[in-house]
Amino acid sequence: MSDKYANAARITPTLGWALRSPARFLAVGLGSGLLRPAPGTWGTLAAWLLWLLVPLGASNTGIGIILALCFIYGCWICQRTGQDLGVPDHGAMVWDEMVAFWLVLWLSPAGWLAQLCAFGLFRLFDIVKPAPIRQLDAYFKNGFGVMLDDLLAAGYTLIVMALLAWLGLFG
């Protein structure tokens, strides 16, 4: 572990702590990452609820640009918040789950059944971390690494969703 984490105080984040910085507040998923148990699941659920605010017929180009910016910004806020917490990938940081799940929702078939299936698959891949996710997660201990493992879990989810759609599961 690098010195920037070793020298930081390990703290338990609270809503008050998160509200002292916009980066922290976003990193903890607007507070959803502070919920227990399973903060990653709460963050993914919050992402799903926020996705409902995306206007129907929104431009694919616009969504793609916003997601790319959220990923880039996420690298910075997760790096900074991890340093503040003294842990590179603290469980309360769920911005990575949120951005990755928005990508899944954007590219998955429409409808609540497909979204529910995508939710379950994404959580499974994020928790199990099949190869090479686990190896990359162990190697990259910075904001990019925090964001990368969830992006890869989203990739696995999208592959399975494409297969399920090809099999006609979603109509």
Side-chain angles (χ1 to χ4, degrees):
M1 187 169 5
S2 69
D3 289 338
K4 60 187 164 196
Y5 295 107
N7 295 330
R10 296 181 192 273
I11 65 166
T12 301
T14 63
L15 186 58
W17 175 88
L19 288 171
R20 286 188 218 127
S21 159
R24 289 177 182 175
F25 187 61
L26 285 177
V28 299
L30 312 177
S32 63
L34 302 173
L35 299 173
R36 299 287 182 258
T41 300
W42 287 109
T44 306
L45 182 59
W48 192 2
L49 294 174
L50 288 170
W51 184 257
L52 298 175
L53 300 176
V54 175
L56 292 174
S59 148
N60 279 331
T61 302
I63 292 172
I65 290 169
I66 289 169
L67 289 179
L69 292 173
C70 285
F71 180 86
I72 293 166
Y73 188 59
C75 291
W76 180 77
I77 66 171
C78 289
Q79 175 76 28
R80 182 172 171 177
T81 303
Q83 289 173 350
D84 290 349
L85 289 167
V87 180
D89 192 359
H90 193 283
M93 296 188 320
V94 297
W95 183 254
D96 50 334
E97 277 89 0
M98 295 176 78
V99 174
F101 193 59
W102 289 331
L103 176 68
V104 168
L105 291 171
W106 177 42
L107 298 176
S108 290
W112 71 269
L113 178 61
Q115 291 180 356
L116 181 62
C117 184
F119 180 88
L121 287 168
F122 176 73
R123 292 307 307 138
L124 174 71
F125 289 127
D126 187 34
I127 292 165
V128 172
K129 296 187 186 321
I133 298 173
R134 184 175 307 279
Q135 292 77 12
L136 291 171
D137 188 45
Y139 183 75
F140 291 104
K141 289 297 179 192
N142 52 34
F144 175 73
V146 170
M147 297 297 294
L148 179 63
D149 77 307
D150 291 276
L151 190 63
L152 294 172
Y156 276 99
T157 301
L158 289 168
I159 289 168
V160 174
M161 290 298 292
L163 177 62
L164 295 174
W166 180 76
L167 292 172
L169 183 64
F170 305 119

